[in-house]
Amino acid sequence: MATAGVRTPPTNLPDAPTSKLASQVARQIEAEVIRRGWPVGESLGSEIELRARYGVSRSVLREAVRLVEHHQVARMRRGPNGGLFVRAPDAGPATRAVVIYLEYVGTSVSDLMHARLLLEPLAAELAAETVSEEGIATLRSTLEEEVAKREEPGVWSHETLHPVLGRLSGNPVLHLFIEILTRLTARYAHTSRRISKAEILAAKDRAHEAHQKTVDAVIAGDGARAQTTLREHLEAIAEWVETHRVRRTPRIAGRVIEPELAEGPRAKLAEVVAARIHDDISSRGWPVGSVLGSEADLLARYEISRAVLREAVRLLEYHSVARMRRGPGGGLIVTQPEEQASIDTAALFLEYQHVTGEHLRVVRDAVELGVVTKVAERHNDPEVAERLDAAARWVFDAPPDEPAKADRFHTELAALARNPVLSLFLRIITEVFRRHTDVQDQPLPGDAAAEEVHRVHRRILDAILAGDTSLARHRMRRHLEALTPWWH
């Protein structure tokens, strides 16, 4: 099985060769964990054993271990009986990586809410189909917690129910995506205008009432009603956000690098400093390539020790927010977050979650149908016809060794929808699916099916260009149904 990649630092930096080798070793360690079935608690070997196994120096191995620890795949334990031990990750690294990338590309609130409307009602419906006694207790305790926290500041403290529904859906992909979406919504509070306490309390009361109706429907096993009530609630959230948004900044912004990864006082402070530096970069419009300051400048600006700054910089480098360049003319350089880094980190976490082809298919279907709807709204735009026509022909024009030729049409559709959230989610789903197919005995449809794939894609395109959204959705749905056997 292919494994998640680890970001390779820019090769023009002085430490690039070491970092690149460390990234390769980290990928091999992660691949081994996946091959072994992610055996939490087991040792992968001592530092000496790992250096011998991978044929690297202590400095390279330690940098590789830092990357593996960042992805929460394993943790190095020092001292007697120490070594690199496999650990159970949470969604933190994947969520942060995706949020940072989506902020960088300029995700709007409308992009975010459109994605939520596609996925969260689906989670509510699935939760209603399978909710257990334990799940019912969790839902009711979540509502009780909302009441208890009513007086706490902030509007978004009442968003807790949404990821709970994602978890109770039983679909790890849906759960992760909803975690990301609710976190992005909470971050939007940083760009909202000042809101009175009375407005906040009124918003919380409305949210709690909507949550109560949704929970009642889920417990009753009424998936259709759960979908409807949650969709109405999300539409109300979208309207509320639009009313209170700061017009001069359509982007979502705010704190990304949270102190939840911290271990020890120095790490805790480093996380805070990393968050402050990220905020400075975001407030400047993310000026890629610019120098934020030398190490000495940053030490003075943030009034911290060199050890804390270097730990903070390491966190920023992990997230492709900034990188320290040594030597004359050096300093902390603003970097461009990489889409593939967020895709790989999310895919690695989903590997641990043991996602199935069916999990992937359910979410992909929802995303693809949403994408078709958005692109059909642009049916008069010449760019749509030009790009989709070329993409449809890619099954014939692609090089013989091009993998997943038919994906080009779907990828172009996602790009033309102009919603970076949906586009990235689809890329993550496709990446995990490809890893699954690496270990399948049967090959995916190839050249023999090219004519049929092209015909189906053309029919979908014809409906889009005619502005017939219903027909386009119908044809896409039938197309996705035909692909179902390949998602199992």
Side-chain angles (χ1 to χ4, degrees), residues 197-208:
K197 183 177 180 179
E199 283 183 289
I200 290 174
L201 291 178
K204 287 184 175 183
D205 289 342
R206 289 192 298 270
H208 181 73

Side-chain angles (χ1 to χ4, degrees), residues 227-238:
Q227 274 195 312
T228 300
T229 54
L230 187 55
R231 184 175 290 108
E232 290 173 350
H233 172 48
L234 290 169
E235 289 170 349
I237 291 177

